[in-house]
Amino acid sequence: MTTKNTAQQWGSVSKSLHWLIALLILALGIVGLVMGEFPKTPKYFWIYTMHKSIGITVLVLVAARLGWRLYAGAPEPVPGTPGWQERVASLTHWLLYVMMFAIPLSGWLYDSASGLRPFKLFGLVEMPKLVAPSESAAQVSHLIHEWGFWALILLVLGHAGAAVFHHVHQRDATLTRMLPQGWLSTPQKESA
């Protein structure tokens, strides 16, 4: 398998970044939904720091993924894909990128505007504050962070649902070309 994308297939770099980012977002979502319930112990603050650190990591990985996509291109649509599906897929991909930037940035902005002491990325590097303490900025950024997560969930469900639809109903390679090689074979279309 090639590292760079081809006209028919996502390369190993794109696949690796895609699935790593997906797993990290899943972990962040699960932790984000339950961390408010934890008692305010030292472990609580460690969990918050890890949530913030992994969020910044996702931000960096998404920037790398976008840069790689601009450099390496993207596979052409699977032959036979209707034009409207291509347009919806393209719009969905770009909206996913917007949300994957907006959510960690709004979290960082929320942390900055809340007036909390700076957090250290994985306990090592102090992260700069993006803005001075501001209650209104904290409220707006928190709303973007929270509701952006739910919007991202809807986009991901649509994205994954479309890939499964292509695999099961349209019986094409849309799903298999993003999976690790050999995980799933492309179903063969039935001949008429």
Side-chain angles (χ1 to χ4, degrees):
M1 179 195 324
T2 178
T3 57
K4 197 169 177 187
N5 304 330
T6 67
Q8 294 78 34
Q9 185 78 19
W10 291 100
S12 61
V13 172
S14 292
K15 287 181 184 184
S16 298
L17 287 169
H18 176 275
W19 291 110
L20 178 58
I21 291 166
L23 286 172
L24 290 175
I25 288 173
L26 177 64
L28 283 167
I30 292 168
V31 171
L33 289 172
V34 299
M35 69 185 181
E37 306 300 318
F38 294 139
K40 306 290 190 273
T41 65
K43 187 180 280 188
Y44 167 87
F45 296 104
W46 180 86
I47 290 169
Y48 260 83
T49 298
M50 285 299 104
H51 181 80
K52 294 171 189 179
S53 297
I54 295 170
I56 296 298
T57 302
V58 167
L59 181 63
V60 170
L61 290 172
V62 170
R65 171 113 164 82
L66 181 59
W68 182 257
R69 182 172 177 164
L70 294 173
Y71 165 73
E76 296 171 4
V78 172
T81 302
W84 70 269
Q85 286 183 5
E86 290 178 32
R87 290 187 295 279
V88 169
S90 180
L91 175 64
T92 301
H93 283 115
W94 290 111
L95 286 173
L96 284 166
Y97 278 113
V98 167
M99 297 312 299
M100 289 186 295
F101 278 109
I103 294 168
L105 283 172
S106 63
W108 190 0
L109 186 63
Y110 173 63
D111 181 75
S112 298
S114 295
L116 302 171
R117 62 186 167 99
F119 80 95
K120 289 186 175 184
L121 187 68
F122 296 107
L124 302 172
V125 178
E126 190 171 294
M127 295 298 294
K129 293 292 186 180
L130 298 178
V131 296
S134 164
E135 188 174 328
S136 61
Q139 289 174 350
V140 169
S141 56
H142 186 262
L143 281 173
I144 292 169
H145 192 68
E146 189 173 318
W147 287 101
F149 169 74
W150 294 110
L152 179 64
I153 293 298
L154 290 175
L155 282 169
V156 167
L157 288 173
H159 175 69
V164 170
F165 173 81
H166 273 269
H167 187 75
V168 173
H169 180 70
Q170 292 191 239
R171 306 182 75 75
D172 65 28
T174 299
L175 175 63
T176 56
R177 66 188 190 166
M178 182 48 90
L179 292 174
Q181 199 164 9
W183 273 35
L184 196 61
S185 63
T186 301
Q188 300 300 311
K189 292 188 179 191
E190 297 170 10
S191 50

